[in-house]
Amino acid sequence: AFRQVCGEVPGSPIFIMKLSQGSRHLEVQLLADEYGNAVALNGRDCSVQRRHQKIIEEGPPIAALPQVWTQMEQAAVALAKAVGYANA
């Protein structure tokens, strides 16, 4: 698997989720433009995967407390603005 990932995305980090019991794959959806505006739309839980492909996306996610989601959304927006991200 390591060689396959290295061939697909050179230089990308590899995370070993099997070592983290009870971990969840949580995502924040963003919209950002070239003027530096960014907004978090919602979140989703993409933990059910097979061969690194999402099978089920659950939204709104219930895996984390609402205040944790607020912190995740704020961090995602701050990161998007810091790196000049512009996309959906």
Side-chain angles (χ1 to χ4, degrees), residues 1-17 49 51-53:
F2 177 80
R3 287 189 183 112
Q4 180 181 355
V5 170
C6 287
E8 292 175 3
V9 185
S12 69
I14 295 177
F15 301 95
I16 303 174
M17 292 179 68
Q49 297 188 14
R51 295 184 181 168
H52 311 291
Q53 296 295 315

Side-chain angles (χ1 to χ4, degrees), residues 2-3 7 20 24 36 38 40 42-44 47-48 50-51 57 63 66 70-71 73 75 82 86-88:
F2 177 80
R3 287 189 183 112
S20 179
R24 307 295 295 186
N42 59 10
R44 60 186 179 184
S47 298
V48 180
R50 182 172 185 268
R51 295 184 181 168
E57 295 180 2
T70 300
Q71 291 174 339
E73 290 173 343
N87 211 331

Side-chain angles (χ1 to χ4, degrees), residues 12-42:
S12 69
I14 295 177
F15 301 95
I16 303 174
M17 292 179 68
K18 289 182 181 181
L19 298 179
S20 179
Q21 295 181 352
S23 63
R24 307 295 295 186
H25 177 140
L26 305 176
E27 297 180 358
V28 175
Q29 300 280 273
L30 292 175
L31 279 179
D33 63 22
E34 65 270 12
Y35 304 107
N37 300 306
V39 62
L41 299 177
N42 59 10

